[in-house]
């Protein structure tokens, strides 16, 4: 049996409190690391989303700076939808709902972000003739302007955390909608 | 063993829910946009081909033509942010931040007529917010739009009058 609410120590009235208490007591350091990673990723993506929600034109303009999409329907749809994907993904990670699906999306998003930032950094280096460590721009991520190397390092860290959560054998504090 | 089919389904559900919420929010937001609007179909006329009779579309003008606009008291729109506007703008210009159109549009439009010449500017040659705003206005029915590409930077450097403060920030 796999109850929908699978948070340790949660009283459900179905006789599984003891099993949950045992699980909580058996939680190891790696479980806490995974939970910390979930909270950290959730905080980052929820904050980033809130900076962009309600400002689709400004976000579209920032996306356009990457020269991947020009003005048009695909650009506007991305500017409208992407912040909400980030927000809902962050909320899912916090709640423990669809954790692996959320992390699959974060792996995909962070991979795309890394490629896009790297291409734009390369373009700025070529256009302005400045070295890699001096490339500085607003990536449109919701955190303002920063050095490209720092943004690439951050996105790589987020990618690693997303992969770690995605591939973790078990998760604690989950809401499991799959009845199996 | 991870069930990748299930993980993929979860991801699809999240994107689907996010899309529904996003488009619903966008429909009711003051800054919501029409993603299917064809603003790239707007005709543009380069400065050297613009004449006084004015072709239909967006005309790019230089500082000489911008000075004429200013001296004749024709309506001018500042497409930059409220912060940049307060630091300094062309005297008499209306604030209509391109990125917060929903906030300013109605206040500004009540002072404009669709058949009059309107000049728009942003910070300078590297910005295109004034052109993007002009495209939006064109789709709304304004057809005599002039974009001053040199923008506020060139205007200020040329020693032309500059005004600080709120000015017509509220569309007054």
């Amino acid at each position: 049996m796999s109850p929908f609410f699978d948070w340790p120590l949660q009283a459900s009235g179905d006789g599984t409190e003891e099993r949950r208490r045992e699980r909580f007591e058996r939680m190891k350091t790696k479980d806490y690391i995974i939970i910390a990673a979930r909270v950290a990723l959730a905080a980052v993506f929820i904050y980033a989303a809130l900076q962009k929600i309600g400002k689709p034109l400004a976000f579209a303009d920032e996306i356009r700076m990457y020269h991947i999409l020009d003005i048009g329907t695909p650009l506007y749809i991305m500017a409208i939808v992407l912040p909400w994907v980030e927000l809902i993904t962050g909320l899912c990670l916090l709640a423990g709902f669809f954790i692996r699906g959320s992390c699959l999306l974060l792996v995909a998003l962070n991979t795309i972000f890394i490629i896009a930032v790297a291409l734009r950094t390369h373009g700025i280096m070529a256009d302005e003739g400045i070295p890699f460590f001096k490339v500085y721009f607003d990536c449109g991520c919701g955190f303002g302007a920063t050095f490209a190397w720092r943004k690439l390092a951050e996105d790589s860290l987020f990618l690693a955390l997303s992969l770690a959560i995605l591939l973790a054998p078990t998760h604690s504090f989950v809401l499991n909608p799959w009845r199996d | 063993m991870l069930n990748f089919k299930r993980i993929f389904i979860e991801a699809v559900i999240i994107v689907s829910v996010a899309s529904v919420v996003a488009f619903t929010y966008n429909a009711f937001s003051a800054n919501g946009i029409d993603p299917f609007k064809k603003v790239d179909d707007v005709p543009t006329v380069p400065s050297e081909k613009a004449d006084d009779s004015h072709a239909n579309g967006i005309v790019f003008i230089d500082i000489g033509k911008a000075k004429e606009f200013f001296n004749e008291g024709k309506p001018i729109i500042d497409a930059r942010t409220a912060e940049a506007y307060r630091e300094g703008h062309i005297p008499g210009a209306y604030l209509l931040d391109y990125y917060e159109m929903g906030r300013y549009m109605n206040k500004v439009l009540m002072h404009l007529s669709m058949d009059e010449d309107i000049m728009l500017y942003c910070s300078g040659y590297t910005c295109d917010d004034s052109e993007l705003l002009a495209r939006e206005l064109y789709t709304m029915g304004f057809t005599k739009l002039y974009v001053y590409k040199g923008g506020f930077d060139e205007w200020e450097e040329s020693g032309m009058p500059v005004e600080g403060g709120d000015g017509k920030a509220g569309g007054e």
Side-chain angles (χ1 to χ4, degrees):
Chain A
M1 180 186 172
S2 176
F4 184 86
F5 293 101
D6 201 14
W7 286 44
L9 297 180
Q10 181 181 332
S12 64
D14 63 358
T16 58
E17 287 84 357
E18 193 173 330
R19 184 180 65 82
R20 291 200 174 102
R21 185 174 294 280
E22 283 174 16
R23 269 188 56 192
F24 186 71
E25 287 166 356
R26 276 189 281 120
M27 279 176 65
K28 295 174 183 169
T29 306
K30 65 176 183 180
D31 297 315
Y32 289 109
I33 291 173
I34 292 294
I35 291 171
R38 268 170 55 190
V39 173
L41 272 182
V44 166
F45 280 88
I46 289 172
Y47 178 83
L50 294 178
Q51 302 307 306
K52 293 176 277 201
I53 286 174
K55 302 170 188 167
L57 275 177
F59 186 40
D61 197 47
E62 286 164 350
I63 298 172
R64 205 159 56 86
M65 294 296 115
Y66 287 90
H67 302 295
I68 296 170
L69 288 173
D70 204 352
I71 293 172
T73 301
L75 174 72
Y76 291 140
I77 288 177
M78 179 178 271
I80 292 169
V81 174
L82 187 56
W84 284 96
V85 172
E86 292 180 337
L87 179 66
I88 292 177
T89 300
L91 292 175
C92 282
L93 279 179
L94 268 189
F97 189 77
F98 283 173
I99 292 177
R100 295 190 200 278
S102 301
C103 284
L104 180 65
L105 283 173
L106 290 187
V107 167
L109 287 177
N110 280 302
T111 303
I112 294 168
F113 293 161
I114 289 170
I115 293 170
V117 170
L119 288 174
R120 187 170 170 192
T121 302
H122 181 264
I124 292 174
M125 288 167 64
D127 292 344
E128 301 181 17
I130 54 177
F132 173 71
F133 284 102
K134 291 201 172 176
V135 176
Y136 186 88
F137 63 86
D138 187 347
C139 62
C141 319
F143 294 93
T146 186
F147 285 104
W149 66 265
R150 187 173 164 178
K151 191 63 222 164
L152 286 168
E154 285 173 359
D155 285 346
S156 301
L157 175 65
F158 298 153
L159 177 61
L161 290 178
S162 306
L163 274 171
I165 302 169
L166 173 66
L167 301 174
T170 57
H171 286 128
S172 302
F173 292 94
V174 294
L175 301 177
N176 180 18
W178 304 99
R179 302 272 173 179
D180 56 2
Chain B
M1 186 67 184
L2 295 178
N3 184 338
F4 281 99
K5 183 182 174 187
R6 175 186 292 183
I7 294 170
F8 182 74
I9 291 172
E10 289 180 359
V12 170
I13 291 172
I14 291 172
V15 172
S16 303
V17 170
S19 300
V20 170
V21 176
F23 282 109
T24 305
Y25 180 87
N26 180 66
F28 292 100
S29 168
N31 289 324
I33 56 175
D34 175 4
F36 303 103
K37 188 182 287 184
K38 296 287 183 189
V39 291
D40 49 350
D41 291 343
V42 178
T44 57
V45 183
S47 179
E48 60 271 18
K49 291 184 181 174
D51 54 28
D52 291 337
S53 62
H54 183 31
N56 185 20
I58 298 171
V59 182
F60 296 103
I61 59 173
D62 56 18
I63 190 165
K65 191 84 176 173
K67 285 176 184 173
E68 285 179 28
F69 257 87
F70 176 69
N71 292 332
E72 292 169 13
K74 289 180 178 176
I76 300 173
I77 293 177
D78 188 325
R80 301 174 302 156
T81 63
E83 188 180 16
Y85 180 88
R86 289 194 185 96
E87 283 179 14
H89 55 266
I90 296 178
Y94 294 99
L95 168 63
L96 209 174
D97 180 357
Y98 170 66
Y99 299 111
E100 293 197 55
M101 277 192 291
R103 183 175 168 187
Y104 297 104
M105 189 64 89
N106 288 336
K107 294 175 185 169
V108 174
L109 292 193
M110 61 190 292
H111 298 281
L112 303 176
S113 163
M114 287 190 177
D115 59 357
E116 67 182 335
D117 294 341
I118 301 168
M119 184 182 99
L120 305 95
Y121 70 91
C122 50
S123 57
Y125 288 103
T126 54
C127 83
D128 52 8
D129 298 341
S130 51
E131 182 185 341
L132 295 172
L133 179 59
R135 289 173 183 273
E136 294 286 343
L137 291 176
Y138 188 90
T139 62
M140 297 169 72
F142 293 86
T143 54
K144 296 183 175 180
L145 301 164
Y146 294 81
V147 172
Y148 169 37
K149 290 296 283 183
F152 185 74
D153 292 348
E154 185 183 73
W155 181 269
E156 190 176 34
E157 286 167 12
S158 304
M160 293 301 291
V162 170
E163 178 181 79
D166 281 341
K168 293 182 177 176
E172 297 85 359

